[in-house]
Amino acid sequence: KPTAAQINDRIAFLSDREGSWGIYIMNADGSGVVQVTNYRPFSAQPSWSPNGQRIAFSSDHDGDWQIYIVNADGSNMTLLPGRPGWELNPSWSPDGQRLLYTYCYDSRDGKQCEVWAMKSDGSDRAFISASSLLSSPKWSPDGSVIAFAHDMDGKHTNYEIYTMDSDGSDWLSLTQQPGLNLWPSWSPDGQRIAFSSNRDGDQEIYVMNRDGSEVARLTDNLTSDTNPTWSPDSKRIAFMSDRSGN
């Protein structure tokens, strides 16, 4: 997943170019590629801190999926204390003090996923909201609202984009299109949300207003375009695609 640093023009992304999945950074033109992590077997879901100095990510390096923080130059890799299960999709608060994330675990009713928040050192964990499957939570730029994707039937076939207040209340459905509506990403001004949807046959990139109105399709091809993220100036959107064959 590509993510843009807030104060510079760099992109963090996931690649297996060295034989295992790791986090890399590069300039927005694709130059200056630097490997940040080389954890085996898997590191994923990089998220820039607002000041562009640190990257939070999830990895199963120590068995369970847990959240780590690393400096952008690869130094000071820190495992945040967690719980058995899967701690995924870390996302920084606008002030850089806290992390939003998804905590998933197996229960008698199947896999459950909840949204939690914690300080960037792993302390002061706070429950936000529960669901059968709820993923990719993202704080709005002002920190008042969280956008996320909700599995409507528990079968991974119908995800819709929602927002909720930062305390987990007042859910609002932004999409009503059966299929895979995923990876919500706030514009830096908080007025629009980019996302990926297969409503027209395959995964494409769309944008909409923060209330779900004025949906516009940005990509149109026969391959999969996913994981959109905004540039800090709101003028561009980076995304992942297999249109080149990789």
Side-chain angles (χ1 to χ4, degrees), residues 86-190:
W86 301 268
E87 296 191 334
L88 306 166
N89 303 122
S91 174
W92 293 84
S93 62
D95 62 7
Q97 299 300 307
R98 298 180 67 80
L99 288 166
L100 199 64
Y101 66 98
T102 305
Y103 173 56
C104 299
Y105 58 93
D106 291 322
S107 72
R108 288 179 297 179
D109 298 321
K111 181 176 286 189
Q112 301 293 312
C113 289
E114 304 168 346
V115 173
W116 286 69
M118 61 181 168
K119 289 183 178 179
S120 59
D121 62 2
S123 66
D124 191 25
R125 291 175 180 253
F127 170 79
I128 303 296
S129 186
S131 173
S132 58
L133 274 178
L134 189 156
S135 66
S136 305
K138 297 290 187 301
W139 261 306
S140 61
D142 65 4
S144 65
V145 178
I146 296 168
F148 61 96
H150 175 47
D151 185 356
M152 305 297 290
D153 56 13
K155 299 178 180 179
H156 306 288
T157 60
N158 183 20
Y159 281 84
E160 300 288 0
I161 305 297
Y162 281 76
T163 59
M164 60 182 169
D165 289 348
S166 59
D167 62 0
S169 64
D170 293 332
W171 284 32
L172 175 65
S173 175
L174 303 188
T175 62
Q176 297 86 32
Q177 291 282 339
L180 301 178
N181 302 281
L182 299 165
W183 300 292
S185 175
W186 291 93
S187 62
D189 64 7

Side-chain angles (χ1 to χ4, degrees), residues 195-236:
F195 64 102
S196 178
S197 176
N198 67 350
R199 62 186 62 192
D200 294 313
D202 54 69
Q203 291 295 140
E204 303 285 358
I205 305 300
Y206 295 77
V207 294
M208 60 184 169
N209 292 335
R210 64 180 293 158
D211 62 0
S213 64
E214 297 187 20
V215 178
R217 180 174 174 174
L218 301 187
T219 62
D220 186 2
N221 61 80
L222 298 179
T223 58
S224 180
D225 299 328
T226 62
N227 289 281
T229 187
W230 298 79
S231 62
D233 63 5
S234 298
K235 294 181 179 180
R236 291 175 293 171

